[in-house]
């Protein structure tokens, strides 16, 4: 097991290097210049001499290979550089928003698991009954319904319901407070985007749980367990469920990694200053330094998530062994 983990960690190096090459050079193909955007402001004229001076200060006048080497060397010395737009260190800008995005992703994952696993099991056990049809309609609605639109409905529902009950409309607070400073205020702001995102997230996982469990319930060892007189609940919990969770775990892990940088519209709806909004702002400002580091952060999260999932497979299915 330890050899396998070490091997996978070493394989991260060429994977991340290949991603870094693609990210760096593809971003340079995007038209526009951060210095022109900074100096021109809202369409005003930018002095060419000031643009050249800005490019020199940011190192954009250097050859591409020199810039690429500085980009790679920054990871070796743990210096990700400064934002080309704000001038603050990239780690500082990302650090301000990483905690919020991570908490929303974790909460949405818990919401999705709490919905998907029980409903998927019930739908598989009650196949082709009205319960199964109801669960399938619930999951299809989650897939078809964008999370940002559900977020808008949640906010409107909170405003209308609180005004009807208390006479004064209420909506989630718009300023972020860390959970250790004020847990109640923190949860009152982040629980609703987590529910909106987690519902759509759970819709895919519910259908995957149902399909995987139905396939496992048709296996020979499940029929043997039934022939021995085991209770159906024991058969599902002890024999079928763990083996059917392999594809479900994969879906949940991939969605979690995606949520770390993919909640752009949802963050706009709930006024969250997370990594998704930072991503959009950095692209709009032609901030190559920030954009490429955000992309690499998502790549690292995806790679680490896949390693953790592969290790988790051995616990779910004892037949899986790593050498």
């Amino acid at each position: 097991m330890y050899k396998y983990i070490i091997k996978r960690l070493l394989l991260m190096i060429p994977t991340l290097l290949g991603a870094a090459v693609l990210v760096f050079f593809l971003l340079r193909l995007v038209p526009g210049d951060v210095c022109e955007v900074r100096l021109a402001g809202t369409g005003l004229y930018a002095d060419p001499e000031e643009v050249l001076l800005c490019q020199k200060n940011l190192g954009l006048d250097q050859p591409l290979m020199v810039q690429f080497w500085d980009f790679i060397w920054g990871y070796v010395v743990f210096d990700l550089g400064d934002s080309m737009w704000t001038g603050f260190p990239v780690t500082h800008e990302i650090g301000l928003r990483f905690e919020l995005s991570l908490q929303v992703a974790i909460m949405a994952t818990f919401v999705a698991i709490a919905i998907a696993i029980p409903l998927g099991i019930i739908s598989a056990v009650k196949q082709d009954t009205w319960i199964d049809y109801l669960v399938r309609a619930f999951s299809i609605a989650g897939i078809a319904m964008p999370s940002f639109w559900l977020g808008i409905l949640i906010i409107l529902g909170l405003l209308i319901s609180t005004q009807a009950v208390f006479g004064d409309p209420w909506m989630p607070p718009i300023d972020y407070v860390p959970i250790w400073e004020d847990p109640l205020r923190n949860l009152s702001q982040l629980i609703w985007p987590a529910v909106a995102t987690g519902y759509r997230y759970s819709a895919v996982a519910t259908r995957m749980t149902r399909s995987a469990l139905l396939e496992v319930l048709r296996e020979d060892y499940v029929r043997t367990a039934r022939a021995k007189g085991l209770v159906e609940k024991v058969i599902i919990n002890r024999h079928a469920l763990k083996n059917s969770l392999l594809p479900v775990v994969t879906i949940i892990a991939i969605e979690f990694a995606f949520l770390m940088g993919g909640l752009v519209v949802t963050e706009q709806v709930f006024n969250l200053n997370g990594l998704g909004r930072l991503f959009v702002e950095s692209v709009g400002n032609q901030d190559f330094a920030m954009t490429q580091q955000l992309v690499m952060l998502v790549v690292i999260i995806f790679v680490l998530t896949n390693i953790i999932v592969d290790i988790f497979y051995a616990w779910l299915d004892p037949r899986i062994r790593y050498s």
Side-chain angles (χ1 to χ4, degrees):
M1 174 66 76
Y2 295 109
K3 292 182 179 179
Y4 172 79
I5 296 175
I6 294 173
K7 182 191 292 187
R8 288 297 303 269
L9 291 175
L10 291 176
L11 285 175
M12 284 180 58
I13 298 175
T15 303
L16 295 178
L17 183 60
V21 172
L22 290 175
V23 170
F24 180 86
F25 288 102
L26 288 178
L27 279 176
R28 267 61 185 179
L29 297 177
V30 177
D33 187 284
V34 62
C35 291
E36 294 180 357
V37 175
R38 284 176 55 179
L39 297 174
T42 57
L44 300 178
Y45 175 75
D47 185 19
E49 294 184 358
E50 292 183 358
V51 172
L52 292 176
L53 180 61
C54 174
Q55 291 175 344
K56 183 177 181 180
N57 293 333
L58 296 177
L60 297 178
D61 60 333
Q62 298 293 325
L64 280 180
M65 294 309 299
V66 175
Q67 296 182 44
F68 179 71
W69 171 251
D70 292 338
F71 171 50
I72 298 299
W73 183 250
Y75 286 97
V76 178
V77 298
F78 300 101
D79 182 10
L80 303 184
D82 299 331
S83 168
M84 294 180 176
W85 184 258
T86 65
F88 292 108
V90 170
T91 52
H92 173 74
E93 295 283 355
I94 294 178
L96 292 174
R97 300 162 176 85
F98 183 81
E99 176 190 330
L100 187 151
S101 295
L102 179 62
Q103 184 180 348
V104 173
I106 292 175
M107 292 173 64
T109 302
F110 277 112
V111 170
I113 293 174
I115 296 174
I117 303 300
L119 290 184
I121 295 173
I122 294 173
S123 181
V125 173
K126 303 293 185 180
Q127 184 184 12
D128 295 332
T129 64
W130 68 271
I131 297 177
D132 181 28
Y133 294 140
L134 185 62
V135 172
R136 288 159 67 180
F138 179 79
S139 60
I140 291 174
I143 296 174
M145 187 184 304
S147 57
F148 69 88
W149 187 74
L150 180 59
I152 295 175
L153 292 182
I154 289 175
I155 293 176
L156 291 176
L158 290 173
L159 291 173
I160 295 173
S161 61
T162 52
Q163 185 173 19
V165 175
F166 304 106
D168 188 20
W170 179 90
M171 65 178 297
I174 60 175
D175 56 324
Y176 173 70
V177 178
I179 191 168
W180 59 82
E181 292 184 7
D182 191 343
L184 185 60
R185 186 175 180 83
N186 173 274
L187 293 176
S188 65
Q189 181 189 29
L190 299 187
I191 186 61
W192 304 113
V195 169
T197 307
Y199 170 49
R200 185 186 184 282
Y201 187 177
S202 69
V204 180
T206 299
R207 294 183 63 83
M208 182 62 70
T209 303
R210 177 184 181 275
S211 300
L213 187 57
L214 283 174
E215 183 178 349
V216 171
L217 289 175
R218 298 188 183 101
E219 294 290 338
D220 292 337
Y221 65 87
V222 174
R223 284 196 290 265
T224 303
R226 285 173 175 156
K228 291 181 178 180
L230 291 179
V231 180
E232 189 70 14
K233 183 178 180 181
V234 175
I235 294 174
I236 293 173
N237 293 336
R238 186 172 300 176
H239 297 279
L241 183 58
K242 285 181 65 174
N243 292 332
S244 65
L245 285 181
L246 293 180
V248 180
V249 169
T250 303
I251 291 293
I252 291 175
I254 292 175
E255 287 290 335
F256 171 80
F258 168 77
L259 290 178
M260 288 301 299
L263 295 178
V264 178
V265 183
T266 304
E267 288 179 358
Q268 294 290 337
V269 171
F270 289 95
N271 197 35
L272 302 177
N273 191 16
L275 293 178
R277 176 181 289 186
L278 180 62
F279 206 121
V280 173
E281 292 175 352
S282 64
V283 172
N285 296 330
Q286 301 288 331
D287 190 349
F288 295 149
M290 181 66 70
T291 304
Q292 63 195 13
Q293 299 299 351
L294 285 170
V295 174
M296 290 303 299
L297 174 63
V298 175
V299 172
I300 292 172
I301 292 173
F302 266 99
V303 173
L304 291 177
T305 301
N306 284 327
I307 294 176
I308 294 172
V309 169
D310 287 345
I311 296 172
F312 194 57
Y313 278 172
W315 178 80
L316 288 174
D317 191 344
R319 295 172 296 179
I320 298 177
R321 292 292 181 265
Y322 300 114
S323 56

